[in-house]
Amino acid sequence: METISESRCYGGVQGVYKHASDATGTDMTFGLFLPEEAEHAPVPVLWFLAGLTCTHENAMVKAGAQVWAAEHGIALAFPDTSPRGEGVANDDAYDMGQGAGFYVNATQKPWAPHFNMFDYVTSELPKIITNNFAVDEERQSITGHSMGGHGALTLAMNVPQYRSVSAFSPICNPTAGDWGRPQFTNYLGSDETTWERHDATLMMRNVGLDIPLLVDTGANDQYADYLMTENLWAAVAERRKAATLRLQPGYDHSYFFVSSFLEDHVAFHAEALYA
């Protein structure tokens, strides 16, 4: 593993690292914030998954999460959104290919050799981080924005390792919209039954969720037709799941929105991580 940079931040360290990934067959870069408490003992970690067109840098630089993570003694992990580099399939559209992995394991050509972001985020990168840094493998929670919100919700519904999940402006019902159907067809093939585990609305209806859930979406989100927020809320009501689902008046899809409510989300996860 290569250290790209390490900077003092709110008493802790914000680092950026690169490593060779078995899951993607490429070099992958991630950000990791360690609070001051990590100098003495392993700390819990909150995963932050970014959205379309983003890298590990977007949330790391724009969200301002480090100040709240430092306050609660929580590490922050910022993975990339897809494999990158020479020989990695791509597409001219911003919502396909590099920068748009949708947190799935692709099964179709030309995506399958490298686009295995589900395994990378849930298995490979957690092992790398807990093996190399003072991060507790038992205390993990997850959040994300937009495509990353989709990833946070669906990963939490598929694997049991998270204690809580939240999302900002998540893509809630991708099998029913343009931020989902074209991508799933390309990555996973035309058999729509293979898509279901990557759709938070369908997973909520079919499987449910047994950990605390918090979702914030801006009432003025310019991508509302792609997010299908109401479908997830309906599924939560049908499942009679205790959840906090908030529509924030006046806010859009930007990181200005994310940073405005991030304190709430970190505190929400801290309660679960330190329970």
Side-chain angles (χ1 to χ4, degrees):
M1 186 170 59
E2 176 185 350
T3 299
I4 304 299
S5 65
E6 288 183 332
S7 301
R8 201 70 176 163
C9 181
Y10 294 106
V13 175
Q14 175 61 64
V16 178
Y17 309 93
K18 183 166 70 172
H19 70 101
S21 167
D22 291 331
T24 67
T26 66
D27 285 344
M28 296 292 291
T29 302
F30 67 92
L32 180 68
F33 169 75
L34 291 173
E36 188 174 5
E37 288 84 347
E39 297 175 10
H40 310 288
V43 296
V45 60
L46 175 60
W47 293 84
F48 197 118
L49 306 186
L52 289 168
T53 75
C54 294
T55 70
H56 69 281
E57 280 194 318
N58 292 71
M60 186 182 80
V61 173
K62 294 181 179 180
Q66 292 88 344
V67 62
W68 309 118
E71 182 175 304
H72 291 283
I74 294 172
L76 296 169
F78 302 98
D80 202 345
T81 54
S82 77
R84 302 175 190 273
E86 187 177 351
V88 177
N90 201 10
D91 190 276
D92 290 338
Y94 73 94
D95 55 2
M96 273 291 301
Q98 297 184 35
F102 271 81
Y103 303 99
V104 303
N105 288 339
T107 59
Q108 306 299 302
K109 295 180 180 180
W111 315 102
H114 302 294
F115 281 73
N116 296 301
M117 293 303 294
F118 185 100
D119 284 352
Y120 177 70
V121 172
T122 63
S123 180
E124 184 179 28
L125 188 55
K127 290 176 183 175
I128 289 172
I129 286 178
T130 57
N131 286 341
N132 290 278
F133 301 93
V135 172
D136 188 343
E137 64 180 350
E138 298 297 328
R139 292 183 293 164
Q140 301 188 30
S141 290
I142 191 166
T143 188
H145 173 233
S146 193
M147 181 188 70
H150 140 77
L153 294 173
T154 55
L155 269 54
M157 292 177 182
N158 275 282
V159 296
Q161 67 203 49
Y162 306 108
R163 294 194 177 185
S164 53
V165 58
S166 72
F168 298 89
S169 311
I171 303 171
C172 295
N173 195 185
T175 63
D178 289 339
W179 277 357
R181 293 193 64 83
Q183 295 80 8
F184 288 177
T185 299
N186 278 277
Y187 292 147
L188 303 175
S190 58
D191 180 1
E192 296 190 20
T193 62
T194 66
W195 304 0
E196 293 177 1
R197 67 193 295 252
H198 303 292
D199 186 306
T201 297
L202 298 182
M203 287 293 289
M204 180 62 72
R205 286 180 181 147
N206 298 334
V207 179
L209 184 68
D210 295 326
I211 59 175
L213 170 64
L214 168 63
V215 176
D216 273 314
T217 301
N220 286 13
D221 195 302
Q222 60 270 44
Y223 303 112
D225 290 344
Y226 296 94
L227 304 182
M228 302 188 179
T229 306
E230 295 81 1
N231 295 357
L232 176 62
W233 291 11
V236 169
E238 291 170 18
R239 193 78 186 188
R240 302 188 68 80
K241 162 67 184 173
T244 301
L245 309 172
R246 307 190 300 194
L247 199 61
Q248 300 292 359
Y251 286 90
D252 59 15
H253 197 76
S254 69
Y255 268 95
F256 295 113
F257 159 65
V258 173
S259 60
S260 296
F261 298 98
L262 194 55
E263 180 182 7
D264 291 354
H265 284 242
V266 176
F268 165 81
H269 291 295
E271 184 175 356
L273 290 166
Y274 280 104

